[in-house]
Amino acid sequence: MITTRDIAERLGVSVSTVGRALADDPRISEETKFRVRQAASEMGYVGNRAARMMRGASSNVVGLVIPDIRNSFYSTIAHELSKNVAAEGFQLMLSETDDDRMVELRHLRELSAYRVAGVIIVPTARPHGESVKLLRVLPHLQLLRRHTSLGSQWFGVDDHEALRQATAHLVTQGHTRIAYLGGPEELPTGAERLRGFRSALREGGLPEGAGRVELGPPSSVGHGREAVRRLLTGPNAPTALVLGSIQLTLGVLEELSEQGVKVPSELSVVGFGDEPGFSWWGPGLTTVGLPIQEMATGCALWLMRRLKTKPGNDGPYTSLSPGSLILRGSTAPPGGRAPAVSG
């Protein structure tokens, strides 16, 4: 293994000069830094990051803690974040929690032991007390979900307004039996999306019990299938359905296709997220679009800025991105046909 001593002997300089040059120490001239880096590259030198970490230095790793990489929202976020942090000389490390707070704690312990430079986290519904303590001493920000116990730096979507608009679209078309299928209220996103659904019903003048609600695991395609089967059973089945997660939307679309439900003449549907296949599913799925790339870029830029400033400058920060209602052919007045919509 090539060491800093080998590089020093080749260039005729001290070992400390080589170490400082590789660390971009301002006391070393740019010419010497260039010579040292060139020699290190030619000789195949690999820095001993473990030794640096034992001396208290942080790594160049940024941890991304998410519920489920199978959700395309999170996989796209991970891809975009990886590119953005790599441009600043950092590497993204992925951890999946499956929305289990003990798994979340285990991952945060590992990331802390590895001395990660920072963490971007989509927290579980009730983060463990030790998780809260670990994050207090790590530069971090919350993505999508927000818990006050985890600090005041957050990037999210205006979930209330997104679901209010989606539901109001159905109310405007004349639907009075509208169902909502979303995540549990204990999740901040689940609570806000349900609140948006109920706000639209109230604003549309519909009675308190006009909307049926099915809540469950937001990352479960299977739950989406089971829930829509229940909703469509009985004489008071809804004429319209609005969804509150990407995975639930996928499950509902699979079940509707399998049952042969005619959309939108028998059931109008508004999905969540905009998967590549949503535009050509059936008549084309009307859905809530999410600003994924913009959010990922904003997260990365904020964290990179934070890592280059003093902790005392780490004040509250909130970035609230709007969703967008993408109109296609899956919604129409009750029993009617959808108007021709390009999308």
Side-chain angles (χ1 to χ4, degrees):
M1 180 179 292
I2 300 299
T3 67
T4 53
R5 183 175 298 279
D6 297 323
I7 298 172
E9 290 176 356
R10 174 170 171 172
L11 297 178
V13 298
S14 68
V15 174
S16 62
T17 295
V18 171
R20 289 170 180 163
L22 291 172
D24 201 24
D25 192 311
R27 291 174 291 180
I28 305 300
S29 70
E30 291 302 318
E31 178 185 359
T32 299
K33 289 178 185 177
F34 176 78
R35 291 177 58 225
V36 169
R37 290 167 182 162
Q38 186 178 46
S41 177
E42 291 173 354
M43 298 172 71
Y45 171 76
V46 178
N48 190 340
R49 188 169 300 279
R52 289 183 63 242
M53 289 164 60
M54 288 176 65
R55 294 194 296 270
S58 64
S59 70
N60 70 334
V61 170
V62 171
L64 174 62
V65 183
I66 59 175
D68 186 355
I69 194 63
R70 293 171 299 179
N71 185 322
S72 65
F73 176 88
Y74 297 128
S75 59
T76 303
I77 280 280
H79 176 71
E80 294 296 325
L81 283 172
S82 180
K83 290 194 301 182
N84 277 278
V85 301
E88 298 292 333
F90 290 83
Q91 179 179 342
L92 195 71
M93 178 182 288
L94 177 67
S95 298
E96 284 187 286
T97 66
D98 199 27
D99 268 329
D100 183 322
R101 74 184 203 141
M102 297 309 296
V103 175
E104 177 181 66
L105 173 58
R106 177 167 56 82
H107 285 308
L108 287 174
R109 283 172 175 164
E110 291 296 324
L111 292 171
S112 179
Y114 195 73
R115 295 188 182 274
V116 292
V119 172
I120 297 171
I121 183 170
V122 181
T124 55
R126 295 179 298 108
H128 194 280
E130 188 179 337
S131 296
V132 175
K133 292 178 182 178
L134 287 169
L135 287 172
R136 280 178 186 161
V137 297
L138 280 173
H140 71 280
L141 61 86
Q142 298 179 75
L143 175 64
L144 270 193
R145 304 172 184 171
R146 173 170 52 179
H147 288 277
T148 55
S149 64
L150 299 183
S152 54
Q153 292 80 39
W154 174 69
F155 280 75
V157 174
D158 191 342
D159 289 299
H160 172 270
E161 181 60 17
L163 266 293
R164 191 198 67 79
Q165 288 185 13
T167 309
H169 168 64
L170 296 170
V171 173
T172 300
Q173 289 189 320
H175 292 277
T176 57
R177 299 202 312 271
I178 305 171
Y180 171 69
L181 174 55
E185 286 188 85
E186 65 177 352
L187 290 174
T189 48
E192 283 299 292
R193 291 168 194 174
L194 178 58
R195 191 169 70 88
F197 170 73
R198 287 174 169 160
S199 293
L201 297 184
R202 184 174 59 253
E203 292 165 6
L206 297 181
E208 187 70 25
R212 290 179 61 183
V213 172
E214 285 273 353
L215 304 180
S219 59
S220 172
V221 172
H223 176 69
R225 299 194 68 156
E226 294 167 7
V228 78
R229 281 198 295 268
R230 287 193 297 270
L231 287 168
L232 296 180
T233 301
N236 292 318
T239 61
L241 177 63
V242 60
L243 303 163
S245 88
I246 293 174
Q247 298 297 91
L248 293 177
T249 299
L250 290 170
V252 166
L253 298 187
E254 287 179 6
E255 187 64 24
L256 294 179
S257 295
E258 187 170 303
Q259 289 195 26
V261 176
K262 296 177 182 178
V263 175
S265 59
E266 295 179 347
L267 181 72
S268 285
V269 182
V270 180
F272 192 85
D274 194 23
E275 296 288 270
F278 286 0
S279 62
W280 48 261
W281 179 88
L285 182 67
T286 293
T287 192
V288 175
L290 303 172
I292 300 177
Q293 271 113 356
E294 294 87 344
M295 287 182 64
T297 300
C299 284
L301 290 175
W302 185 92
L303 189 59
M304 294 301 101
R305 178 195 62 80
R306 166 65 183 82
L307 295 178
K308 295 175 183 177
T309 60
K310 296 179 180 179
N313 297 330
D314 190 14
Y317 186 86
T318 294
S319 175
L320 189 65
S321 300
S324 58
L325 185 61
I326 303 170
L327 297 176
R328 297 194 180 109
S330 66
T331 55
R337 290 179 174 272
V341 178
S342 60

